[in-house]
Amino acid sequence: MKNKLTEAEKELMEILWTNKTAFMKDLLQALPEPKPAATTVATNLKRMQNKDLIGYKSFGNSRQYFPKVKKEDYFNGEMTSIINQFFNSSVSQFASFFTANSKLSQQQLKELRDIIDNQIKD
């Protein structure tokens, strides 16, 4: 994925996905301790704008930020990138690795099978 978020950017994006919009003060308030400096947050917001992941509306000297990409779409891109990079673009290889290495219970495996069965159109 070309517009991959850093960990710090993901924190900000999670707040925006949850709240839909936020001013700088809202973002700073929502971040966990130890809180980064406002200048650090501003730098991350600028990078996210450059990646075209967020936008903003101006209200005087304040900016209200909003996500330009849905969380599901971003996550889908991340998963596709992982599958392409580590599993030779093979969803089957990914599924095999995931089920063998994630220590799923029998119940979880059955639930996963049910999900797949429901996706298969006869």
Side-chain angles (χ1 to χ4, degrees):
M1 173 170 237
K2 67 178 184 167
N3 291 333
K4 191 171 173 77
L5 293 165
T6 66
E7 288 303 314
E9 292 168 348
K10 280 181 193 172
E11 277 189 305
L12 293 170
M13 201 66 175
E14 284 292 342
I15 297 166
L16 291 173
W17 280 324
T18 300
N19 298 329
K20 310 289 188 252
T21 63
F23 290 95
M24 171 71 85
K25 65 179 178 60
D26 303 321
L27 293 168
L28 285 168
Q29 185 177 0
L31 288 168
E33 295 289 343
K35 296 188 185 294
T39 53
T40 302
V41 173
T43 298
N44 285 327
L45 291 169
K46 181 64 176 164
R47 288 181 184 152
M48 293 163 69
Q49 289 171 51
N50 291 341
K51 294 176 184 181
D52 203 32
L53 296 172
I54 65 168
Y56 66 87
K57 293 179 188 172
S58 293
F59 293 89
N61 291 335
S62 297
R63 292 179 175 179
Q64 184 181 44
Y65 296 94
F66 59 89
K68 292 176 78 174
V69 62
K70 294 178 185 172
K71 185 175 185 176
E72 297 79 21
D73 293 340
Y74 182 79
F75 182 73
N76 186 43
E78 286 279 281
M79 288 305 302
T80 300
S81 177
I82 288 169
I83 291 168
N84 291 343
Q85 185 175 0
F86 296 105
F87 300 98
N88 300 317
S89 301
S90 170
V91 175
S92 299
Q93 284 183 19
F94 168 74
S96 175
F97 175 84
F98 175 75
T99 55
N101 292 289
S102 60
K103 300 192 187 334
L104 297 172
S105 69
Q106 288 297 308
Q107 180 61 34
Q108 289 170 318
L109 286 169
K110 287 177 186 173
E111 289 171 4
L112 187 56
R113 182 180 61 200
D114 290 343
I115 291 167
I116 292 168
D117 286 345
N118 287 331
Q119 291 295 315
I120 297 172
K121 308 287 188 254
D122 292 325

